[in-house]
Amino acid sequence: MISLELPWPPSMNQMWRNVNGRTVLCAPGRRYRKLVADVCLLARAGKQLSGRVRVDIVAYPPDRRQRDLDNMLKAPLDALTHAGVWLDDSQIDRLLIERGEVCKGGRLLVAISYEE
């Protein structure tokens, strides 16, 4: 199992912009990807997962604003793909997300289970 503590992701509206008909990753998105890659590098020394995985996430929001948990999944899952944790997030067979208590700055506790 791989356990990670990730920062709270920016919204998808902050991550991507359309420029001249192309969708590009914005500065907040690039920063988030880099932060996730750094956490992954520090947390595991293993190789990229190529089999089926299960992902459990506890989302600790930064404030009490109303938000849909399913809308915040894309940024961290894509960042984990970009960090090389797995080949593609299509490898996820089970995805569980749970809301935790509000914590300053917000964070995500991510547990990735896999068969070797």
Side-chain angles (χ1 to χ4, degrees):
M1 180 190 298
I2 299 171
S3 296
L4 304 167
E5 183 174 329
L6 302 180
W8 188 261
S11 74
M12 291 310 288
N13 291 335
Q14 293 172 318
M15 294 258 316
W16 300 96
R17 293 281 185 257
N18 286 316
V19 179
N20 296 328
R22 293 182 30 212
T23 304
V24 297
L25 190 62
C26 293
R30 290 191 299 271
R31 281 192 300 274
Y32 187 74
R33 275 191 179 177
K34 169 101 172 74
L35 286 170
V36 170
D38 291 346
V39 168
C40 292
L41 186 62
L42 292 173
R44 65 181 191 88
K47 60 181 179 166
Q48 188 175 55
L49 303 176
S50 59
R52 311 308 300 171
V53 298
R54 169 187 168 162
V55 180
D56 295 290
I57 300 173
V58 181
Y60 295 89
D63 54 46
R64 296 196 185 284
R65 278 187 291 170
Q66 204 171 5
R67 47 175 54 89
D68 295 339
L69 287 179
D70 60 328
N71 289 341
M72 54 79 49
L73 283 173
K74 184 150 182 59
L77 295 180
D78 286 350
L80 289 168
T81 301
H82 190 263
V85 171
W86 47 57
L87 300 169
D88 187 72
D89 55 9
S90 66
Q91 292 169 240
I92 300 171
D93 282 342
R94 182 166 187 251
L95 178 61
L96 174 73
I97 185 162
E98 173 183 344
R99 187 184 317 270
E101 295 294 319
V102 170
C103 81
K104 186 176 180 177
R107 66 185 172 143
L108 304 176
L109 296 183
V110 180
I112 303 166
S113 306
Y114 58 95
E115 292 186 22
E116 296 191 43

